[in-house]
Coordinates of all heavy atoms in Angstrom, one line a residue:
F1 N -14.4 9.5 2.8 CA -15.4 9.3 1.8 C -16.8 9.3 2.4 O -17.0 9.3 3.6 CB -15.1 8.0 1.0 CG -15.3 6.7 1.9 CD1 -16.5 6.0 2.0 CD2 -14.2 6.3 2.6 CE1 -16.5 4.9 2.8 CE2 -14.2 5.2 3.4 CZ -15.4 4.4 3.4
N2 N -17.8 9.5 1.5 CA -19.2 9.5 2.0 C -20.0 8.4 1.5 O -19.9 7.9 0.4 CB -19.8 10.8 1.5 CG -19.4 12.0 2.2 OD1 -19.5 12.1 3.4 ND2 -18.7 13.0 1.5
L3 N -20.9 7.9 2.4 CA -21.8 6.8 2.0 C -23.1 7.4 1.9 O -23.6 8.2 2.6 CB -21.8 5.8 3.2 CG -20.6 5.0 3.5 CD1 -20.8 4.1 4.7 CD2 -20.3 4.1 2.2
S4 N -23.9 6.9 0.7 CA -25.2 7.4 0.5 C -26.3 6.6 1.4 O -27.4 6.9 1.4 CB -25.5 7.3 -1.0 OG -25.4 5.9 -1.4
Q5 N -25.8 5.4 2.0 CA -26.6 4.6 2.8 C -25.8 3.8 3.9 O -24.5 3.8 3.6 CB -27.4 3.7 2.0 CG -26.6 2.6 1.3 CD -27.4 1.7 0.3 OE1 -28.7 1.8 0.3 NE2 -26.8 0.8 -0.4
D6 N -26.4 3.3 4.8 CA -25.6 2.4 5.9 C -25.0 1.3 5.1 O -25.7 0.7 4.1 CB -26.6 2.0 6.9 CG -27.1 3.1 7.8 OD1 -26.7 4.2 7.7 OD2 -28.0 2.7 8.6
A7 N -23.8 0.9 5.5 CA -23.1 -0.2 4.8 C -22.1 -0.9 5.6 O -21.6 -0.3 6.6 CB -22.4 0.4 3.4
D8 N -21.7 -2.0 5.3 CA -20.5 -2.7 5.8 C -19.3 -2.3 4.9 O -19.4 -2.4 3.7 CB -20.6 -4.2 5.8 CG -21.7 -4.7 6.8 OD1 -21.8 -4.1 7.9 OD2 -22.3 -5.7 6.5
V9 N -18.3 -1.7 5.5 CA -17.2 -1.1 4.8 C -15.8 -1.8 5.1 O -15.6 -2.2 6.2 CB -17.0 0.4 5.3 CG1 -15.8 1.0 4.6 CG2 -18.2 1.1 4.9
Q10 N -15.2 -2.2 4.0 CA -13.8 -2.7 4.3 C -12.9 -1.9 3.4 O -13.1 -1.5 2.3 CB -13.8 -4.2 3.8 CG -12.5 -4.9 3.9 CD -12.5 -6.3 3.5 OE1 -13.4 -6.8 3.0 NE2 -11.4 -7.0 3.8
G11 N -11.7 -1.5 4.0 CA -10.7 -0.8 3.3 C -9.4 -1.6 3.4 O -9.0 -2.2 4.4
T12 N -8.7 -1.7 2.3 CA -7.4 -2.4 2.2 C -6.4 -1.6 1.4 O -6.8 -0.7 0.6 CB -7.5 -3.8 1.5 OG1 -8.1 -3.6 0.2 CG2 -8.4 -4.7 2.3
I13 N -5.1 -1.9 1.7 CA -4.0 -1.4 0.9 C -3.4 -2.5 0.1 O -3.2 -3.6 0.7 CB -2.9 -0.7 1.7 CG1 -3.4 0.4 2.6 CG2 -1.8 -0.3 0.9 CD1 -4.0 1.6 1.8
E14 N -3.3 -2.4 -1.2 CA -2.8 -3.4 -2.1 C -1.5 -2.9 -2.9 O -1.4 -1.7 -3.1 CB -3.8 -3.8 -3.1 CG -5.1 -4.4 -2.6 CD -6.1 -4.8 -3.7 OE1 -5.8 -4.6 -4.8 OE2 -7.1 -5.3 -3.3
T15 N -0.6 -3.9 -3.1 CA 0.4 -3.7 -4.0 C -0.1 -3.5 -5.4 O -1.2 -3.8 -5.7 CB 1.5 -4.8 -3.9 OG1 0.8 -6.0 -4.5 CG2 1.9 -5.0 -2.5
L16 N 0.9 -3.0 -6.3 CA 0.4 -2.9 -7.7 C 0.0 -4.3 -8.4 O -0.7 -4.3 -9.3 CB 1.5 -2.2 -8.5 CG 1.9 -0.8 -8.1 CD1 3.0 -0.2 -8.9 CD2 0.6 0.1 -8.2
S17 N 0.5 -5.4 -7.7 CA 0.2 -6.8 -8.3 C -1.1 -7.2 -7.6 O -1.5 -8.3 -8.0 CB 1.4 -7.7 -8.1 OG 1.6 -7.9 -6.7
G18 N -1.7 -6.5 -6.7 CA -2.9 -6.9 -6.1 C -2.8 -7.6 -4.7 O -3.8 -8.0 -4.3
A19 N -1.7 -7.8 -4.3 CA -1.5 -8.4 -3.0 C -2.0 -7.5 -1.8 O -1.6 -6.3 -1.8 CB -0.1 -8.9 -2.7
V20 N -2.8 -8.0 -1.0 CA -3.3 -7.1 0.2 C -2.3 -7.1 1.3 O -1.8 -8.2 1.7 CB -4.6 -7.7 0.7 CG1 -5.1 -6.8 2.0 CG2 -5.7 -7.7 -0.3
I21 N -1.8 -5.9 1.6 CA -0.7 -5.8 2.6 C -1.2 -5.2 3.9 O -0.5 -5.2 4.9 CB 0.5 -5.0 2.1 CG1 0.1 -3.6 1.6 CG2 1.2 -5.8 0.9 CD1 1.3 -2.7 1.4
A22 N -2.4 -4.5 3.9 CA -2.8 -3.9 5.1 C -4.4 -3.8 5.1 O -5.0 -3.7 4.0 CB -2.3 -2.5 5.3
D23 N -5.0 -4.0 6.3 CA -6.4 -3.9 6.5 C -6.7 -2.6 7.2 O -6.2 -2.4 8.3 CB -7.0 -5.1 7.2 CG -6.9 -6.4 6.4 OD1 -7.3 -6.4 5.3 OD2 -6.3 -7.3 7.0
L24 N -7.5 -1.7 6.7 CA -7.8 -0.5 7.3 C -9.0 -0.4 8.2 O -9.2 0.4 9.0 CB -8.0 0.6 6.3 CG -6.9 0.8 5.2 CD1 -7.2 2.0 4.4 CD2 -5.5 0.9 5.9
S25 N -9.7 -1.5 8.2 CA -11.0 -1.6 8.9 C -11.1 -2.8 9.7 O -12.2 -3.1 10.2 CB -12.2 -1.5 7.9 OG -12.1 -2.4 6.9
G26 N -10.0 -3.4 10.0 CA -10.0 -4.5 10.9 C -10.9 -5.7 10.3 O -11.4 -6.5 11.0
G27 N -10.9 -5.9 9.0 CA -11.6 -6.8 8.3 C -13.1 -6.5 7.9 O -13.8 -7.3 7.5
G28 N -13.5 -5.3 8.3 CA -14.8 -4.9 7.9 C -15.5 -4.2 9.2 O -15.2 -4.6 10.3
R29 N -16.3 -3.2 8.9 CA -17.1 -2.6 10.0 C -18.3 -2.0 9.4 O -18.4 -1.8 8.2 CB -16.2 -1.6 10.7 CG -16.0 -0.4 9.8 CD -15.3 0.7 10.6 NE -15.5 2.0 10.0 CZ -14.8 3.1 10.3 NH1 -13.9 3.0 11.2 NH2 -15.0 4.3 9.8
S30 N -19.3 -1.9 10.3 CA -20.6 -1.2 9.9 C -20.3 0.3 10.0 O -19.7 0.7 10.9 CB -21.7 -1.7 10.9 OG -22.0 -3.0 10.7
A31 N -20.9 1.0 9.0 CA -20.8 2.5 9.0 C -22.2 3.0 8.6 O -22.9 2.5 7.8 CB -19.7 2.9 8.0
S32 N -22.4 4.2 9.2 CA -23.7 4.9 8.9 C -23.6 5.8 7.8 O -22.5 6.2 7.4 CB -24.1 5.7 10.1 OG -24.3 4.9 11.2
Q33 N -24.7 6.1 7.1 CA -24.7 7.0 6.1 C -24.0 8.3 6.4 O -24.1 8.8 7.6 CB -26.1 7.3 5.7 CG -26.3 8.3 4.6 CD -27.8 8.6 4.3 OE1 -28.7 8.0 4.7 NE2 -28.0 9.6 3.4
G34 N -23.2 8.8 5.5 CA -22.5 10.1 5.7 C -21.0 9.9 5.6 O -20.5 8.9 4.9
E35 N -20.2 10.7 6.2 CA -18.7 10.7 6.2 C -18.2 9.6 7.0 O -18.5 9.3 8.1 CB -18.1 12.0 6.6 CG -16.6 12.0 6.4 CD -16.1 13.4 6.8 OE1 -16.7 14.4 6.5 OE2 -15.0 13.4 7.4
V36 N -17.3 8.8 6.3 CA -16.5 7.7 6.9 C -15.0 7.9 6.8 O -14.6 8.4 5.7 CB -16.9 6.4 6.3 CG1 -16.2 5.2 6.9 CG2 -18.4 6.1 6.4
Q37 N -14.2 7.7 7.8 CA -12.8 7.9 7.7 C -12.2 6.6 8.0 O -12.5 5.8 9.0 CB -12.4 8.9 8.7 CG -12.8 10.3 8.4 CD -12.2 11.4 9.3 OE1 -11.4 11.2 10.2 NE2 -12.8 12.6 9.2
L38 N -11.2 6.2 7.2 CA -10.3 5.0 7.5 C -8.9 5.6 7.6 O -8.4 6.5 6.8 CB -10.4 4.1 6.3 CG -11.8 3.4 6.1 CD1 -11.7 2.6 4.9 CD2 -12.2 2.6 7.3
R39 N -8.1 5.1 8.5 CA -6.7 5.6 8.7 C -5.7 4.5 8.4 O -6.1 3.3 8.7 CB -6.6 6.1 10.2 CG -7.5 7.3 10.5 CD -7.3 7.8 11.9 NE -8.4 8.6 12.3 CZ -8.3 9.9 12.1 NH1 -7.2 10.6 11.7 NH2 -9.3 10.7 12.4
W40 N -4.6 4.8 7.9 CA -3.5 3.9 7.8 C -2.2 4.5 8.3 O -1.9 5.6 8.0 CB -3.4 3.6 6.2 CG -2.4 2.6 5.9 CD1 -2.0 1.4 6.6 CD2 -1.4 2.6 4.8 NE1 -1.0 0.7 5.9 CE2 -0.6 1.5 4.9 CE3 -1.3 3.5 3.8 CZ2 0.4 1.3 3.9 CZ3 -0.2 3.3 2.8 CH2 0.6 2.1 3.0
D41 N -1.4 3.6 9.1 CA -0.2 4.2 9.6 C 1.0 3.9 8.8 O 2.1 4.1 9.2 CB 0.0 3.6 11.0 CG 0.1 2.0 11.1 OD1 0.1 1.4 9.9 OD2 0.2 1.5 12.2
G42 N 0.7 3.3 7.6 CA 1.9 3.0 6.7 C 2.6 1.7 7.0 O 3.7 1.5 6.5
R43 N 1.9 0.9 7.7 CA 2.5 -0.4 8.0 C 1.7 -1.5 7.5 O 0.5 -1.4 7.2 CB 2.6 -0.6 9.6 CG 3.4 0.4 10.2 CD 3.6 0.2 11.7 NE 4.5 1.2 12.4 CZ 5.8 1.2 12.3 NH1 6.4 0.2 11.7 NH2 6.5 2.1 12.8
T44 N 2.4 -2.7 7.2 CA 1.8 -3.8 6.7 C 1.0 -4.6 7.8 O 1.1 -4.2 9.0 CB 2.7 -4.8 6.1 OG1 3.7 -5.3 7.3 CG2 3.7 -4.2 5.1
R45 N 0.3 -5.7 7.5 CA -0.4 -6.5 8.4 C 0.6 -7.0 9.5 O 0.1 -7.1 10.7 CB -1.0 -7.7 7.8 CG -2.2 -7.4 6.9 CD -2.6 -8.6 6.1 NE -3.9 -8.4 5.5 CZ -4.3 -9.3 4.6 NH1 -3.7 -10.4 4.3 NH2 -5.6 -9.0 4.1
S46 N 1.8 -7.2 9.2 CA 2.8 -7.8 10.2 C 3.4 -6.6 11.0 O 4.3 -6.9 11.8 CB 3.8 -8.6 9.4 OG 4.6 -7.8 8.6
G47 N 3.1 -5.4 10.6 CA 3.7 -4.3 11.4 C 4.9 -3.6 10.8 O 5.4 -2.7 11.4
S48 N 5.4 -4.1 9.7 CA 6.5 -3.5 9.0 C 6.2 -2.2 8.3 O 5.1 -2.2 7.7 CB 7.2 -4.5 8.0 OG 7.5 -5.7 8.7
Q49 N 7.0 -1.2 8.4 CA 6.8 0.0 7.6 C 6.9 -0.3 6.1 O 7.8 -1.1 5.7 CB 7.9 1.0 7.9 CG 7.7 2.4 7.4 CD 6.5 3.1 8.1 OE1 6.3 2.9 9.3 NE2 5.9 4.0 7.4
V50 N 6.0 0.1 5.3 CA 6.1 -0.1 3.8 C 7.2 0.7 3.2 O 7.6 1.8 3.7 CB 4.7 0.1 3.1 CG1 3.7 -0.8 3.7 CG2 4.3 1.5 3.1
A51 N 7.7 0.2 2.1 CA 8.6 0.9 1.3 C 8.0 2.0 0.6 O 6.8 2.0 0.3 CB 9.4 0.0 0.3
A52 N 8.8 3.0 0.3 CA 8.2 4.2 -0.6 C 7.9 3.6 -1.9 O 8.5 2.8 -2.4 CB 9.4 5.2 -0.8
G53 N 6.8 4.0 -2.4 CA 6.4 3.7 -3.7 C 4.8 3.7 -3.9 O 4.1 4.5 -3.2
Q54 N 4.3 3.1 -4.9 CA 2.9 3.2 -5.2 C 2.1 2.0 -4.8 O 2.6 0.9 -4.9 CB 2.6 3.4 -6.8 CG 3.2 4.7 -7.2 CD 2.7 5.0 -8.6 OE1 2.9 4.1 -9.5 NE2 2.1 6.2 -8.9
Y55 N 0.9 2.3 -4.4 CA 0.0 1.2 -3.8 C -1.4 1.6 -4.2 O -1.6 2.7 -4.8 CB 0.1 1.2 -2.2 CG 1.4 0.9 -1.7 CD1 2.4 1.9 -1.5 CD2 1.9 -0.5 -1.6 CE1 3.6 1.5 -1.1 CE2 3.2 -0.8 -1.1 CZ 4.0 0.2 -0.9 OH 5.3 -0.2 -0.4
F56 N -2.4 0.8 -3.9 CA -3.8 1.0 -4.1 C -4.6 1.1 -2.9 O -4.3 0.1 -2.0 CB -4.4 0.1 -5.1 CG -4.0 0.2 -6.5 CD1 -3.3 -0.7 -7.2 CD2 -4.4 1.3 -7.3 CE1 -2.9 -0.7 -8.4 CE2 -4.1 1.4 -8.7 CZ -3.3 0.5 -9.2
L57 N -5.4 2.0 -2.6 CA -6.4 2.0 -1.6 C -7.7 1.5 -2.2 O -8.1 1.9 -3.3 CB -6.6 3.4 -1.1 CG -7.8 3.7 -0.2 CD1 -7.8 2.8 1.0 CD2 -8.0 5.1 0.1
V58 N -8.1 0.4 -1.6 CA -9.4 -0.2 -2.1 C -10.5 -0.2 -1.0 O -10.2 -0.7 0.1 CB -9.2 -1.7 -2.6 CG1 -10.5 -2.2 -3.2 CG2 -8.0 -1.8 -3.6
I59 N -11.5 0.5 -1.3 CA -12.7 0.6 -0.4 C -13.9 -0.2 -1.0 O -14.3 0.1 -2.1 CB -13.0 2.1 -0.2 CG1 -11.9 2.8 0.4 CG2 -14.3 2.2 0.8 CD1 -12.1 4.3 0.6
T60 N -14.4 -1.1 -0.2 CA -15.6 -1.9 -0.6 C -16.7 -1.5 0.4 O -16.5 -1.7 1.6 CB -15.3 -3.4 -0.6 OG1 -14.1 -3.6 -1.5 CG2 -16.5 -4.2 -1.1
A61 N -17.9 -1.2 -0.1 CA -19.0 -1.0 0.7 C -20.1 -1.8 0.3 O -20.5 -1.9 -1.0 CB -19.5 0.5 0.6
R62 N -20.8 -2.6 1.2 CA -21.9 -3.4 0.9 C -23.1 -3.0 1.7 O -23.1 -3.0 2.8 CB -21.7 -4.9 1.3 CG -20.6 -5.6 0.4 CD -20.2 -7.0 0.9 NE -19.1 -7.5 0.3 CZ -17.9 -7.2 0.6 NH1 -17.5 -6.6 1.6 NH2 -16.8 -7.8 -0.1
G63 N -24.2 -2.5 0.9 CA -25.3 -1.9 1.5 C -26.2 -3.0 2.1 O -26.1 -4.2 1.7
E64 N -27.2 -2.6 2.7 CA -28.2 -3.6 3.4 C -29.0 -4.3 2.3 O -29.6 -5.4 2.5 CB -29.1 -2.9 4.3 CG -28.4 -2.3 5.5 CD -29.2 -1.5 6.5 OE1 -30.3 -1.1 6.1 OE2 -28.7 -1.2 7.6
N65 N -29.2 -3.6 1.2 CA -29.9 -4.2 0.0 C -29.0 -5.2 -0.8 O -29.5 -5.6 -1.8 CB -30.4 -3.1 -0.8 CG -29.3 -2.2 -1.5 OD1 -28.1 -2.5 -1.3 ND2 -29.7 -1.2 -2.3
G66 N -27.8 -5.4 -0.4 CA -27.0 -6.4 -1.1 C -26.1 -5.7 -2.2 O -25.2 -6.3 -2.8
E67 N -26.4 -4.5 -2.5 CA -25.6 -3.7 -3.5 C -24.1 -3.4 -3.0 O -24.0 -3.1 -1.8 CB -26.2 -2.4 -3.8 CG -25.7 -1.6 -4.9 CD -26.3 -0.3 -5.2 OE1 -27.5 -0.2 -4.8 OE2 -25.7 0.6 -5.8
T68 N -23.2 -3.7 -3.9 CA -21.8 -3.6 -3.5 C -21.1 -2.5 -4.5 O -21.4 -2.5 -5.6 CB -21.0 -4.9 -3.6 OG1 -21.6 -5.8 -2.7 CG2 -19.6 -4.7 -3.3
A69 N -20.3 -1.6 -3.7 CA -19.6 -0.6 -4.6 C -18.1 -0.8 -4.1 O -17.8 -0.9 -3.0 CB -20.1 0.9 -4.2
V70 N -17.2 -0.7 -5.2 CA -15.7 -0.8 -4.9 C -15.1 0.5 -5.5 O -15.4 0.7 -6.8 CB -15.2 -2.1 -5.5 CG1 -13.7 -2.1 -5.2 CG2 -16.0 -3.3 -4.9
V71 N -14.2 1.1 -4.8 CA -13.5 2.2 -5.3 C -12.0 1.8 -5.1 O -11.6 1.4 -4.1 CB -13.8 3.5 -4.6 CG1 -12.9 4.6 -5.0 CG2 -15.3 3.9 -4.7
K72 N -11.2 2.0 -6.1 CA -9.8 1.7 -6.1 C -9.0 3.0 -6.5 O -9.2 3.4 -7.7 CB -9.5 0.5 -7.1 CG -8.1 -0.1 -6.9 CD -8.0 -1.3 -7.7 CE -6.6 -2.0 -7.5 NZ -6.6 -3.3 -8.1
K73 N -8.2 3.5 -5.7 CA -7.5 4.7 -6.0 C -6.0 4.5 -5.7 O -5.6 3.9 -4.7 CB -7.9 5.8 -5.0 CG -9.3 6.2 -5.2 CD -9.6 7.0 -6.4 CE -11.0 7.6 -6.4 NZ -11.2 8.4 -7.5
P74 N -5.1 5.0 -6.6 CA -3.7 4.9 -6.4 C -3.3 5.8 -5.3 O -3.8 7.0 -5.2 CB -3.1 5.3 -7.7 CG -4.2 6.1 -8.3 CD -5.5 5.7 -7.8
I75 N -2.3 5.5 -4.5 CA -1.6 6.2 -3.5 C -0.2 6.1 -3.6 O 0.4 5.1 -4.1 CB -2.2 6.0 -2.1 CG1 -1.9 4.5 -1.7 CG2 -3.6 6.2 -2.0 CD1 -2.2 4.2 -0.2
T76 N 0.6 7.1 -3.2 CA 2.0 7.1 -3.2 C 2.6 7.3 -1.8 O 2.2 8.3 -1.2 CB 2.6 8.1 -4.1 OG1 2.1 7.8 -5.4 CG2 4.1 8.0 -4.2
T77 N 3.4 6.5 -1.3 CA 4.1 6.8 0.0 C 5.5 7.4 -0.3 O 6.2 6.9 -1.3 CB 4.3 5.6 0.8 OG1 5.0 4.5 0.2 CG2 2.9 5.0 1.2
L78 N 6.0 8.2 0.6 CA 7.3 8.9 0.3 C 8.1 8.6 1.6 O 7.5 8.5 2.7 CB 7.1 10.4 0.1 CG 6.3 10.8 -1.0 CD1 6.0 12.3 -1.1 CD2 6.8 10.3 -2.3
R79 N 9.4 8.7 1.5 CA 10.3 8.7 2.7 C 11.1 9.9 2.6 O 11.6 10.4 1.8 CB 11.2 7.4 2.6 CG 10.5 6.2 2.7 CD 10.2 5.8 4.1 NE 9.3 4.7 4.1 CZ 8.0 4.8 4.6 NH1 7.6 5.9 5.1 NH2 7.3 3.8 4.5

């Protein structure tokens, strides 16, 4: 994804019921304006492989001016 300004970024994977099962950014990280990549290995916080199914990728960016943007996209894992 692309940032229009420097921001603190947090990425999570959630179940359909909203439970956070994985952190993609180690709890948050600073990112510069431009392209940002977050990676997920398909494992939960405890290291277990997730089951095939639907989840949500949630990206939260907080700019230096205090503005917050949240994007929530559905993802599907396959086996």
Side-chain angles (χ1 to χ4, degrees):
F1 63 95
N2 283 300
L3 292 175
S4 60
Q5 63 183 357
D6 294 353
D8 291 327
V9 175
Q10 181 175 9
T12 59
I13 303 294
E14 296 182 358
T15 64
L16 296 180
S17 63
V20 176
I21 59 168
D23 296 305
L24 306 185
S25 51
R29 70 175 202 191
S30 295
S32 298
Q33 178 180 352
E35 184 176 321
V36 178
Q37 294 183 8
L38 298 175
R39 297 177 195 270
W40 181 41
D41 63 3
R43 297 187 180 278
T44 65
R45 288 175 169 166
S46 63
S48 302
Q49 189 75 29
V50 299
Q54 291 193 307
Y55 299 89
F56 285 110
L57 165 63
V58 182
I59 299 170
T60 304
R62 290 179 191 83
E64 294 174 352
N65 62 0
E67 184 178 342
T68 299
V70 178
V71 176
K72 187 172 189 174
K73 296 284 188 178
I75 60 172
T76 302
T77 61
L78 305 172
R79 296 274 169 250

